[in-house]
Amino acid sequence: MTPSPRPASRRTVLTALAAAATAGAPLVGQLAAAAPAAAAADPGEYASNTALYKDPALVEGTTYGRRFRRHQAADFDLATKAGYPRTAILALHGGGIEIGTSELALGIAGYDPGDITPTAPALLPATYDYFLFEGLLSTGNKALHVTSRNCDDHVALSLAASHLNVLSLHGCQYDQLGMPEPMIWPPSSDPRLAVVGGLNAEFRAALVYEIGRAGFPVVDAFDSRYANRLQDFNGSHVTNPCNLTMLRKGAQIEMTTELRQSLFGDYSSRSRRAATWDTSNGQFEAFRDACRRAIATVEANQPVL
């Protein structure tokens, strides 16, 4: 359940963060001086992206940023049928909010997370449309979190509505899941875990199979052994953008901090993650490619009419 928002205290914190970022001042010091207890004491969050975008304390490009790509598609030939994008990748809590999800979204979409300039070529043959909302502060990005089911960003929703599939990437902490570790990886535990949710059962099954085959601990959030524990992480809400597709169902992956850390040579900052995704002993590529294989499996049964 999303706590009731308390915007006054949150705004105090974010005003200090945004001002410090603009001035180039140390953000941690500014935060402590402005409201030493507010960040820890205030569990509220913005009721929607609209509410966040309208907050005068926040500055797009400094406090937060948005990036997206829709690939050109056209058919001028009456005699043949052209292909059309069927899958979009979302990172609704990217940047410093749920760390590592932006870079992974770009990788799954077919791009180099360290170079997505307009002139940079795609890294992989198949590319997917994507949308990223990213926290840009050096600290305090959790205050920019908007619960997925409350997302009303026009680009994110239009991408979902115009695709058969959405894969939405999220981050969590292992302790939040309440998983019985010995039941999954006896006799020792592994805090790396991918929890696959969303209302598209076929997509979930393909993701669980491919991610597991790539060597990562993974569970289906609807698995009867764990479903009661994972209700808050199963992506089942009908207004979650992953389920606002043309089929009214999609998929999401919740990844623990340890899993996301393992995908980068250096997880410590946006620039280091972008520069070291390909120095993780192949872990980033393995997870990325597992997701892409799952997408290909699902798309193979979805001809565009």
Side-chain angles (χ1 to χ4, degrees):
M1 178 179 294
T2 302
S4 299
R6 290 187 284 172
S9 59
R10 180 187 58 224
R11 184 172 292 117
T12 301
V13 177
L14 286 173
T15 300
L17 290 170
T22 303
L27 291 174
V28 174
Q30 291 286 330
L31 174 61
D42 185 2
E45 62 178 39
Y46 289 92
S48 64
N49 289 76
T50 297
L52 187 151
Y53 300 154
K54 289 183 175 180
D55 189 335
L58 308 184
V59 178
E60 185 160 10
T62 301
T63 311
Y64 67 91
R66 290 176 281 180
R67 292 185 282 175
F68 71 91
R69 184 162 192 161
R70 299 196 73 156
H71 296 85
Q72 290 185 347
D75 184 355
F76 301 110
D77 188 343
L78 293 174
T80 61
K81 181 178 67 177
Y84 196 80
R86 286 169 283 181
T87 302
I89 315 298
L90 306 182
L92 301 177
H93 308 132
I97 305 172
E98 293 173 356
I99 297 173
T101 56
S102 293
E103 294 81 9
L104 186 57
L106 291 170
I108 296 171
Y111 293 92
D112 181 340
D115 185 6
I116 56 166
T117 55
T119 57
L123 188 66
L124 298 170
T127 56
Y128 304 106
D129 294 349
Y130 63 78
F131 169 84
L132 317 173
F133 174 86
E134 301 175 272
L136 301 181
L137 301 169
S138 63
T139 187
N141 285 287
K142 295 298 183 184
L144 300 170
H145 184 278
V146 175
T147 299
S148 295
R149 64 178 179 268
N150 294 334
C151 174
D152 63 352
D153 183 282
H154 292 178
V155 177
L157 296 185
S158 67
L159 277 181
S162 60
H163 288 74
L164 295 172
N165 314 299
V166 160
L167 176 58
S168 187
L169 304 177
H170 298 273
C172 63
Q173 297 178 24
Y174 189 85
D175 317 4
Q176 295 176 296
L177 301 175
M179 292 295 289
E181 296 168 313
M183 290 176 59
I184 310 173
W185 311 290
S188 62
S189 63
D190 183 347
R192 297 180 307 145
L193 180 62
V195 176
V196 179
L199 294 178
N200 189 327
E202 180 188 358
F203 202 172
R204 290 200 318 271
L207 286 164
V208 169
Y209 173 75
E210 294 293 353
I211 292 171
R213 191 162 71 96
F216 298 93
V218 58
V219 295
D220 186 328
F222 291 85
D223 186 318
S224 59
R225 294 172 293 176
Y226 317 118
N228 289 338
R229 300 172 183 268
L230 298 174
Q231 289 181 9
D232 292 337
F233 301 90
N234 66 14
S236 64
H237 203 282
V238 293
T239 62
N240 184 322
C242 81
N243 296 320
L244 293 177
T245 67
M246 295 172 68
L247 302 176
R248 311 308 286 180
K249 59 185 180 180
Q252 71 169 39
I253 308 175
E254 292 272 4
M255 297 167 286
T256 62
T257 302
E258 292 80 8
L259 173 56
R260 287 175 282 130
Q261 286 174 334
S262 74
L263 303 181
F264 301 91
D266 186 343
Y267 181 76
S268 62
S269 69
R270 293 178 66 247
S271 61
R272 296 308 302 156
R273 291 190 298 278
T276 65
W277 65 268
D278 56 352
T279 62
S280 62
N281 295 319
Q283 293 298 288
F284 184 98
E285 294 93 329
F287 198 94
R288 174 199 69 188
D289 293 348
C291 294
R292 288 174 60 86
R293 287 194 299 272
I295 292 170
T297 296
V298 172
E299 287 192 344
N301 295 321
Q302 296 174 326
V304 175
L305 301 178

